[in-house]
Amino acid sequence: DPLDNPRSLPSRIVGRTVLIVSSLIALVSVRDLFFPGTILSFLPRDDIYLEWTGAFLHSPPPDSVEADEQGLEAPLFAGDKFVSQLMGLYLCLGCLLKFVSAFGWSKGNRVMGIIAGKRVENVERSGVVSSRLIWRTQAFGDMMLLGMLRLFTPAAKTASLDLRWHLMLVAYEMFILALYGFW
C-alpha cells in the first residue's frame, strides 16, 4: 500500500498547497529582503504594492520619478528599510519551514527490526507527528497574517490595490494546514 510506505510524504494535498501559495509569498518576500523597491513586472499591480507599502521611500528605483523626488531623503528611511527586510526574512523563514514540513521528511519508520525470526513492527510516524505540529503552528501564523491583510484591506482599496486574491490564497492555505494539522 503506497499510503503505508514510510518514505512517502505526510500529505500530498498539503504539499501542493504549500508549493503554490508559499512559493508566491516567498518570491515577494525574497524580493523585499534582497531587492527592496524593485518592481517585478510579471506581478500585477506590483508598483502600487511597493508604493503603498512605502518601499519607494527607502529604495526608489533608479531613473524614476520617485528617485528624483525622494532620492536625497532615502537614507533617512533606513529604519523602515530594515523593518521591511526583517519582515521579508521572517516570511521567508516561515515559507522554508512549510516547505520542509511538506517535502523535507517522510512519514517515518514502520519496521523496527527482526527479533527471533519474527518481524517486529513499530508504527512510529515521527514525520507525520512533526509535520502536524508545524502545520498547526503555521496555520496560526497564517491566521495572524490573514488578520493583518484583512485589517489593511480598506486602506489598500484607496490606493487601488486589491487584496482579495491575497486574502483567498492565505485563507485557503490556512484552512488546509489547520485541517491536516488538527484532524
Side-chain angles (χ1 to χ4, degrees), residues 21 23 25 27 52 65 76 106 150 180:
V21 176
S23 55
I25 293 172
L27 176 72
W52 182 69
V65 176
L76 299 175
S106 59
R150 184 66 188 110
Y180 283 90

Side-chain angles (χ1 to χ4, degrees), residues 8-10 97 100-107 126-128 130-131 134:
S8 63
L9 295 176
L97 189 60
V100 168
S101 71
F103 300 109
W105 51 74
S106 59
K107 284 186 174 182
S126 61
V128 174
S130 301
S131 293
I134 292 172

Side-chain angles (χ1 to χ4, degrees), residues 64-78:
S64 66
V65 176
E66 289 84 6
D68 293 338
E69 291 176 358
Q70 293 139 352
L72 293 175
E73 298 172 357
L76 299 175
F77 292 99

Side-chain angles (χ1 to χ4, degrees), residues 79-96:
D80 292 347
K81 183 177 181 179
F82 172 75
V83 170
S84 171
Q85 289 177 319
L86 188 64
M87 186 64 191
L89 177 67
Y90 288 157
L91 285 173
C92 284
L93 289 175
C95 290
L96 178 68

